[in-house]
Amino acid sequence: MGNVFRGGGDSLSLSNGGTDVFLDVLTLAVSDLARDAWDYRFAALLTLQDQNVMGRGAVGFDLEEIDWGTTGAERARAKRFVVRAAELALRRHRWEELGYEPPYAEGYLRRFKAMVEAYEPEGYDPEAHDPEAYGPEAHDPEAHAPAAGPAVRHEGLFPGADEAAVASCVRHRVLSALPFWEGCRFCTAS
């Protein structure tokens, strides 16, 4: 049984082992890049793909299920975050911590990055955000904070603001699904 990640008119179909590798390397990058509320929601989506908790062959997502934001600028920023995470992972960010050599990870990441780049969320405006301006110096926590009031879950599987992955595994230094289950994807694998 395998898992499928879809978007941009394409799909990435992976074996259970390939899925683990893909999510391991992407989680390392996302955990180190996350700065704004949306980033932590995307990290939560990745934590929900843990096959050791959710079941083998039972994970995957479609880019259309993701709440990319309500404005063109929010959508562009969110898309750029996912592309940047894939790019960081492609640079073998923290792979030495994996304890194994992921020979096919680069191919998975290249395919996923191409899918995200090809995908245009409804209302997406690539001109609404200057990708070069994104970085720690441009970070304004208030600019992307979740709106006040009850969290509204986007149709599909994308975690709401109250489900964002804000807990960090001390041992592995990645975002985890606490309080939903103990440990990060690396803890549940051991």
Side-chain angles (χ1 to χ4, degrees), residues 58-181:
V59 301
F61 57 83
D62 191 315
L63 297 178
E64 290 184 10
E65 295 173 337
I66 294 175
D67 176 5
W68 293 95
T70 56
T71 68
E74 288 174 345
R75 291 178 189 109
R77 189 226 167 267
K79 181 175 173 177
R80 183 67 189 145
F81 172 79
V82 178
V83 169
R84 287 182 64 239
E87 289 171 343
L88 182 59
L90 275 164
R91 290 195 300 271
R92 301 175 151 271
H93 179 71
R94 294 177 56 191
W95 286 18
E96 69 279 0
E97 298 173 31
L98 291 172
Y100 64 87
E101 181 61 34
Y104 303 108
E106 289 177 352
Y108 304 154
L109 290 164
R110 271 192 229 94
R111 180 85 173 263
F112 179 71
K113 179 178 175 261
M115 286 169 39
V116 174
E117 288 173 332
Y119 179 72
E120 292 198 10
E122 187 177 326
Y124 173 69
D125 181 2
E127 302 302 318
H129 175 74
D130 177 7
E132 300 304 317
Y134 180 80
E137 65 281 352
H139 173 61
D140 177 3
E142 298 302 314
H144 300 287
V152 176
R153 186 157 190 158
H154 182 71
E155 186 177 321
L157 301 174
F158 197 66
D162 62 334
E163 300 168 304
V166 294
S168 182
C169 173
V170 175
R171 180 176 171 208
H172 296 107
R173 299 177 301 122
V174 296
L175 294 167
S176 71
L178 283 171
F180 301 109
W181 52 78

Side-chain angles (χ1 to χ4, degrees), residues 1-4 13-16 19 51 56-59:
M1 200 175 239
N3 306 284
V4 182
S13 182
L14 299 172
S15 66
N16 291 328
T19 300
Q51 295 182 97
R56 308 296 280 171
V59 301

